[in-house]
Amino acid sequence: MNLGKVVGMVVATRKESSMDGLRFMLVRHLDEQGKETGGQVVAADAVGAGPGEVVLVASGSSARQTQATDKRPCDAVIMAIVDSWDVGGAVKYRKSEDE
Amino acid sequence: MNLGKVVGMVVATRKESSMDGLRFMLVRHLDEQGKETGGQVVAADAVGAGPGEVVLVASGSSARQTQATDKRPCDAVIMAIVDSWDVGGAVKYRKSEDE
Amino acid sequence: MNLGKVVGMVVATRKESSMDGLRFMLVRHLDEQGKETGGQVVAADAVGAGPGEVVLVASGSSARQTQATDKRPCDAVIMAIVDSWDVGGAVKYRKSEDE
Amino acid sequence: MNLGKVVGMVVATRKESSMDGLRFMLVRHLDEQGKETGGQVVAADAVGAGPGEVVLVASGSSARQTQATDKRPCDAVIMAIVDSWDVGGAVKYRKSEDE
Amino acid sequence: MNLGKVVGMVVATRKESSMDGLRFMLVRHLDEQGKETGGQVVAADAVGAGPGEVVLVASGSSARQTQATDKRPCDAVIMAIVDSWDVGGAVKYRKSEDE
C-alpha cells in the first residue's frame, strides 16, 4: 500500500455503470516523512475518507477486494484512514484530534 | 485510476480475435493540474470516449472488469469520462458545455 | 496496452514446459510519435508478428487472456499488429503496403 | 520480490473491516548491496517481522496469497525474513545472531 | 518478461510456509544489449537456474503460473533459461557451450 493525502474529488457522470455510487478521490502520494512525492492517483473511496485526510491506497487487483469495488474496473482504492505512523520510533505523522 | 486525455486512435486489423469491435484510444496522462505528463497509454474504450475528452483509465486486471473487455487481453480501459475535478476546493478542470 | 516494435527474438530451450511452442519476441517501446523510448520487453507472440512490425503489447494478467498464453507464466503478449495511428488527426504511423 | 528493511509501523483504526488484525509495516526498499534506494512501501506482515529486520516483500495479487491477506485489499506483504544473501559468492548481508 | 542475470541467492528460513522449498534468486535486469540496467529483483526459480545464467523473469500474477509457485505469495519467477537472442538479426547474447 502507499501513503497518500486526499486533496480533491473527480466527478464523472458518464461511466461504466458498475462504478455508480463510488466516489473518486484525488490522492497525492506521500513518502515516509509525510512529504508529497509529486505523484498522484485517482482512487475509489471504501472508507469514507474526506479532503485533507491521510490514507492508505491499495492498487491493482487488490483494489477490488472491498465490498464497494468488487468486480468493478477500479485499480486503486482507499482502504484505510491513517491515524499515525513512526519511523525508527519517531512519530512522523499523527492525525490531529479535531479532524 | 489515472487522469488522461484522448488524443488519437490506433487501428489494428490483425489482432487477437476477442479484441474485435474494441476501439483502441491513445490517451495522454494528465497530472492533477490537468497538464500532460509526457506519458501515454493505449486503452480500450468502454464508455464511448472521443478525441479531446478527459477520461479516467483503469489499468491491469481491473481493465477487464467491463462488459466490453471481460476475459480479453486488455490491460487499460477508459471507464469514465470526466466532468470536472478539484484540488483543495479549486476547480482544476471542467468540461465545457459544448463538448 | 503499449505501442512497440519487434526487433528480435529470444531463444530458450530450457523453460517451464507450458511455454513450449511460444515465441518470445524482443519488443522496443514506442511513444505516440513512433519514437523508441529506450525501454523494451520480451513478449509472447499471439498474432504472428515478425521483425520490424509495430505492435500492441498487453501486460500483466491480461497477457494470459489469449489461447496461446492461457494459464502460462507469461506477463506480456503481442495481441495486435498495428496498421496505423493518429494524434490530433495527424497520422503518426502507417504500415507500408509491402510489409 | 523486493528486499526491504522494516523501519516503522502505520496505525489505522478506520479501515476496510477485512483488514482488522493485520499489521501495516513501513518498509524501505534495499538494493542488492543492502543500500536503501529511497523508495518505500507499506506492507502487511505475514511472518511476524519487527523493526530493523530485513525482509522480502511480494506485491500485487501475490500479496494476497497468504492466510493473513487472502481476499483482502492488500497489495504488498512481508512473506519472508531474510537471513542472508550473496552476490557473486560474496555475502552482502547476514542477520546478526543476537537479532 | 524481462531479461536478467542470476547473480546470487537469498536465504530466508522464516517465511510463509507455502514458500518452503523454493529458491530465491537475486536477478539483475539486462537490457536488449545484455547490459545491466542497475535494477534487480528477487525471483523464485522454476527451472533450475544457477549463478551467472541469463534468464527470463515473469512478474505479477503470471509468476504464480508454474507448478512451483502456484498459489504462493510470489511475484517474480524465473521461467526460462536463455540460450540466445538477437536484435535486428545480430546476435546480442549466446550462452557459451561449457556453461
Side-chain angles (χ1 to χ4, degrees):
Chain A
M1 283 69 67
N2 286 297
L3 295 165
K5 185 177 187 174
V6 180
V7 295
M9 188 155 59
V10 178
V11 178
T13 47
R14 193 159 132 215
K15 61 194 164 198
E16 177 75 12
S17 60
S18 65
M19 300 301 270
D20 284 350
L22 276 178
R23 290 196 312 157
F24 300 120
M25 311 308 283
L26 196 51
V27 181
R28 286 187 188 156
H29 293 306
L30 300 179
D31 67 15
E32 66 173 54
Q33 304 297 324
K35 286 182 194 156
E36 297 173 359
T37 65
Q40 67 268 153
V41 69
V42 177
D45 177 25
V47 291
E53 281 189 302
V54 172
V55 298
L56 283 177
V57 175
S59 301
S61 61
S62 297
R64 300 196 307 270
Q65 308 293 316
T66 76
Q67 197 175 335
T69 56
D70 185 36
K71 292 184 182 135
R72 287 166 175 76
C74 169
D75 65 5
V77 71
I78 300 173
M79 29 60 77
I81 296 175
V82 173
D83 296 318
S84 66
W85 79 79
D86 73 281
V87 174
V91 175
K92 293 293 175 179
Y93 168 79
R94 189 181 304 274
K95 192 177 178 175
S96 62
E97 289 296 321
D98 55 347
E99 275 181 281
Chain B
M1 282 71 65
N2 286 296
L3 295 165
K5 184 177 188 173
V6 180
V7 296
M9 188 157 58
V10 179
V11 178
T13 46
R14 193 158 132 215
K15 62 195 164 199
E16 178 74 12
S17 59
S18 65
M19 300 301 269
D20 284 349
L22 276 178
R23 290 197 312 157
F24 300 120
M25 311 308 282
L26 196 52
V27 181
R28 286 187 188 155
H29 293 307
L30 301 179
D31 68 15
E32 66 173 53
Q33 304 298 323
K35 287 183 195 155
E36 298 174 358
T37 65
Q40 67 270 154
V41 69
V42 176
D45 176 25
V47 292
E53 281 189 303
V54 172
V55 298
L56 284 177
V57 175
S59 300
S61 60
S62 297
R64 299 196 307 271
Q65 309 293 315
T66 76
Q67 197 175 335
T69 56
D70 185 35
K71 294 187 182 132
R72 286 167 175 78
C74 169
D75 63 6
V77 72
I78 299 173
M79 31 59 78
I81 296 176
V82 174
D83 295 318
S84 66
W85 79 80
D86 73 281
V87 174
V91 175
K92 293 295 174 178
Y93 169 80
R94 189 181 304 275
K95 191 177 177 175
S96 62
E97 290 295 322
D98 54 347
E99 275 180 283
Chain C
M1 282 71 65
N2 286 296
L3 295 165
K5 184 177 188 174
V6 180
V7 296
M9 188 156 60
V10 179
V11 178
T13 47
R14 194 159 132 215
K15 61 194 164 200
E16 179 73 13
S17 59
S18 65
M19 300 301 269
D20 284 349
L22 277 177
R23 290 196 312 158
F24 300 119
M25 310 308 283
L26 196 53
V27 180
R28 286 186 188 155
H29 293 307
L30 301 179
D31 67 15
E32 66 174 53
Q33 303 298 324
K35 286 183 195 156
E36 298 174 358
T37 65
Q40 68 268 154
V41 68
V42 177
D45 176 26
V47 291
E53 282 190 302
V54 171
V55 298
L56 284 176
V57 175
S59 300
S61 60
S62 297
R64 298 197 307 271
Q65 308 293 316
T66 76
Q67 198 174 335
T69 56
D70 186 35
K71 293 186 182 133
R72 287 168 175 75
C74 169
D75 64 6
V77 72
I78 299 172
M79 31 59 78
I81 296 176
V82 174
D83 295 319
S84 66
W85 80 80
D86 73 281
V87 174
V91 175
K92 293 296 175 178
Y93 168 80
R94 190 181 303 274
K95 191 177 177 176
S96 61
E97 290 295 322
D98 54 346
E99 274 179 284
Chain D
M1 283 70 67
N2 286 296
L3 296 166
K5 185 176 187 174
V6 180
V7 297
M9 189 155 60
V10 178
V11 178
T13 47
R14 195 159 131 215
K15 61 194 164 199
E16 177 75 11
S17 60
S18 65
M19 299 302 270
D20 284 349
L22 276 178
R23 291 196 311 158
F24 300 120
M25 310 308 282
L26 196 52
V27 180
R28 286 185 188 158
H29 293 307
L30 300 179
D31 67 16
E32 64 173 55
Q33 304 298 324
K35 286 182 194 156
E36 297 174 358
T37 65
Q40 67 268 153
V41 68
V42 177
D45 177 25
V47 290
E53 281 189 302
V54 172
V55 297
L56 284 176
V57 175
S59 300
S61 60
S62 297
R64 300 196 307 270
Q65 308 293 316
T66 76
Q67 197 174 335
T69 56
D70 186 36
K71 294 185 181 131
R72 287 168 175 76
C74 169
D75 65 6
V77 70
I78 300 173
M79 30 60 77
I81 296 176
V82 174
D83 295 319
S84 67
W85 80 78
D86 72 282
V87 174
V91 175
K92 293 295 176 178
Y93 168 79
R94 189 180 302 275
K95 192 176 178 175
S96 62
E97 289 296 321
D98 54 345
E99 275 180 279
Chain E
M1 283 70 67
N2 286 296
L3 295 165
K5 185 176 187 174
V6 180
V7 296
M9 188 156 60
V10 178
V11 178
T13 47
R14 195 159 130 214
K15 61 195 165 199
E16 178 74 13
S17 59
S18 66
M19 300 301 270
D20 284 347
L22 276 178
R23 290 195 312 157
F24 300 120
M25 310 308 283
L26 195 53
V27 180
R28 286 186 187 156
H29 292 307
L30 301 179
D31 67 16
E32 64 174 54
Q33 303 299 324
K35 286 182 194 155
E36 298 174 356
T37 66
Q40 68 268 151
V41 67
V42 177
D45 176 25
V47 291
E53 281 190 302
V54 171
V55 297
L56 284 176
V57 175
S59 299
S61 60
S62 297
R64 300 197 306 272
Q65 309 293 315
T66 76
Q67 197 173 334
T69 56
D70 186 36
K71 293 185 182 133
R72 286 168 176 75
C74 169
D75 64 6
V77 70
I78 300 173
M79 31 59 78
I81 296 176
V82 174
D83 295 318
S84 66
W85 80 79
D86 73 281
V87 174
V91 175
K92 292 295 175 179
Y93 168 80
R94 189 181 303 275
K95 192 177 177 176
S96 60
E97 290 295 320
D98 54 346
E99 275 179 281

